[in-house]
Amino acid sequence: MLLLARRSGVAPVGKPRPRVVCGASATHVRPASSARPGRTRPLDVIIIGGGIGGLSAASALLEAGARVRANAEKVLRLLPSVWPPEVAPGDNGNDGGAGGSDAAAGGVASLSDAIYAVGGPIMSGGFRSNRGDYLYYSDMSSIGLKDIQSNGLSISRRSLMTVLYSSLPYDCVTYGRRFQSFTAPPRGEPGKVQVTFLDGGVEECDVLVGADGIRSKVREQLMGGPVELIYSGTVCWRSRLPLSRIGGGAAWFLQSINYDSWAEYWGKGVRIGMFTVGPEATPDEAAPGGIRIEGEPQLAWYAFANKPESWRPEPGADEAARLRELFAGFASPVPELLAAVEPSAVHVSRMLYQQPRPAPWGAGRVTLLGDAAHGMLPTLGQGGCMAIEDSLELANELGAAMPVLDSPSELPLAAAAAATWDDPAAAVWRLEAALRRYEASRAPRTTRVAEQSLQVASLAMAESDLSVWLRNTIYRLTPKWAGDKQFEYLFKEYVPAWKDGVRLGRRQYAGSEAASASLQR
């Protein structure tokens, strides 16, 4: 699909809104330009990919000048809600509310509020042994943040994608455009980046962003060939089902996991996890904000098992039965959960990742975002979060690439772009330097998250009796504060090089092509 974002703001109620379509897609972001007739035009950005990263980047660029603060949920607070301020999600055609969040009590002001209205905050949870006893327990005190929304969010990917998509202008989607290749001017030279699609169409832009996932075609062209994807040694099964279908029903299930928001049970060479999510968010043109919340609360679950790289499920195999065999003897509610799983609803995939690499990720006016840049294992649930952080950092860097004025924090991206095109060569240097700064600022954090995801996965998937005993013993003997410390950086230590919308050091870099060029080396 080709998303043509021409203006910011939420779609008017009742306007046509196309369905969300996954796959290799393109987002074309054109913020409204400032009023300087005859010599201005907006910054043109094409984002290849319509997933979490691509949609978040589109929203961030449309709301240029957003201020980055911390982890993914917090940056979403800077973007507009899908619902008009006077409309509460509980009035969105669903008498059952929206998953228990009270974010709408005073109106839904931000995209973060909208997402919490559909999903819900993570209150507590932990890693457990196959017998059900805690190996590590996390709650609100674990990260030392008083704000309930800072502890994390449980939401299905489908619902998250629906909310992110609905935050974009109603007329920004056309279908059938799949990326084929790009042609870019040499580094530092003016001109457009040309993007060719499989249907033969060609689009031009100032900046191209590859957000097209772990098998990124944009990355493949940047790197001169496919980047090796590493098989982790594990296969994943996953699905969702209503809480009411598990064991004695929703109340029974919640009691069985000590009313935690999530739980993960570790065995020998296998592990299974689960987290509660709210009702489903479904696109609906007639509903306020274009979203209808329907159905009952769901449980999202996933299971991992160590398998050789050559392993494939047999055609027509009953994967639910396979899982019941793999997790035989696990504590309740694992048997009850797997007994309720429909074989046809189970998705099976091998878990792949990329070797983390330092910046730069791109070249010239082409860059990468999300899994295209740093595909990681889902052990910590941070893949989507890193893509959202990437999006806001990218938008801020592009905003800072424009000329330095007396009040740079008040300068909208479109106005800054218009002022810069008076000198195209200088504009090109600024944009390229901004993309390299974005990559350099993100690489250390995403590398750390990817490496820790690998480490925790290795412990969780231990498969000898001795290694399982050592793992469980070490976890049980580790003080809670020490266990909390290893994950604290995800929420508290991330301090972007931004303050009040201004890139630190921006003034010293601006105004010199030589200085801008030096940032790219």
Side-chain angles (χ1 to χ4, degrees), residues 51-364:
I52 292 173
L55 296 178
S56 298
S59 291
L61 288 164
L62 286 167
E63 295 296 323
R67 301 176 183 179
V68 176
R69 284 291 182 272
N71 203 11
E73 184 280 323
K74 292 187 176 181
V75 299
L76 289 174
R77 297 183 194 183
L78 308 171
L79 301 177
S81 167
V82 299
W83 283 290
E86 68 277 7
V87 176
D91 300 327
N92 205 26
N94 177 45
D95 293 337
S101 172
D102 60 358
V108 180
S110 70
L111 190 54
S112 171
D113 292 331
I115 289 173
Y116 271 94
V118 175
I122 294 175
M123 302 300 295
S124 63
F127 302 139
R128 302 172 182 236
S129 73
N130 61 344
R131 299 193 303 269
D133 53 308
Y134 287 108
L135 301 176
Y136 167 72
Y137 178 75
S138 172
D139 58 13
M140 281 291 292
S141 66
S142 298
I143 57 174
L145 298 174
K146 297 180 180 179
D147 181 356
I148 192 172
Q149 290 190 0
S150 296
N151 201 40
L153 168 73
S154 289
I155 187 172
S156 73
R157 180 180 179 87
R158 177 181 170 185
S159 290
L160 175 58
M161 293 284 290
T162 297
V163 176
L164 289 174
Y165 167 77
S166 298
S167 70
L168 294 171
Y170 74 96
D171 60 347
C172 67
V173 179
T174 55
Y175 299 100
R177 309 300 301 277
R178 296 183 65 84
F179 172 80
Q180 182 177 30
S181 63
F182 69 83
T183 303
R187 193 181 79 170
E189 293 188 12
K192 289 283 193 176
V193 179
Q194 291 190 334
V195 183
T196 303
F197 296 90
L198 288 176
D199 62 4
V202 178
E203 296 281 343
E204 293 186 335
C205 61
D206 302 311
V207 173
L208 175 64
V209 180
D212 48 339
I214 195 168
R215 300 184 187 274
S216 170
K217 295 297 183 183
V218 178
R219 181 189 67 223
E220 183 173 321
Q221 185 174 342
L222 276 169
M223 303 301 170
V227 172
E228 180 186 8
L229 298 180
I230 304 169
Y231 175 55
S232 67
T234 61
V235 173
C236 177
W237 296 259
R238 62 184 185 274
S239 187
R240 293 194 312 276
L241 73 165
L243 289 177
S244 62
R245 284 177 40 190
I246 305 172
W252 174 89
F253 173 79
L254 293 173
Q255 184 178 22
S256 71
I257 62 170
N258 195 33
Y259 297 96
D260 286 339
S261 304
W262 67 280
E264 190 167 292
Y265 295 77
W266 293 358
K268 185 168 69 172
V270 294
R271 79 181 194 268
I272 184 168
M274 58 202 75
F275 54 95
T276 57
V277 297
E280 204 68 70
T282 303
D284 185 345
E285 297 174 5
I291 296 177
R292 182 179 72 257
I293 301 172
E294 60 183 5
E296 58 179 293
Q298 304 276 309
L299 180 79
W301 63 270
Y302 52 90
F304 292 88
N306 291 336
K307 295 287 184 182
E309 190 168 5
S310 60
W311 184 89
R312 298 292 188 280
E314 306 83 4
D318 185 338
E319 295 303 319
R322 189 195 307 275
L323 290 169
R324 288 192 287 270
E325 181 179 348
L326 283 171
F327 292 92
F330 271 60
S332 183
V334 173
E336 292 83 356
L337 163 62
L338 296 177
V341 170
E342 294 288 343
S344 60
V346 179
H347 178 76
V348 188
S349 59
R350 299 186 309 147
M351 301 311 296
L352 306 173
Y353 67 95
Q354 297 178 52
Q355 185 68 38
R357 64 178 182 273
W361 299 332

Side-chain angles (χ1 to χ4, degrees), residues 431-480:
L431 290 173
E432 292 184 0
L435 296 179
R436 303 297 86 79
R437 285 199 301 268
Y438 148 72
E439 295 159 2
S441 71
R442 295 298 298 152
R445 177 166 168 82
T446 58
T447 295
R448 183 177 182 182
V449 174
E451 290 176 344
Q452 189 177 40
S453 296
L454 277 169
Q455 293 166 2
V456 175
S458 177
L459 287 171
M461 300 305 295
E463 57 183 350
S464 72
D465 290 336
L466 177 60
S467 60
V468 169
W469 179 83
L470 285 172
R471 175 197 69 194
N472 292 359
T473 300
I474 291 171
Y475 263 92
R476 289 191 183 104
L477 295 178
T478 300
K480 184 177 182 303

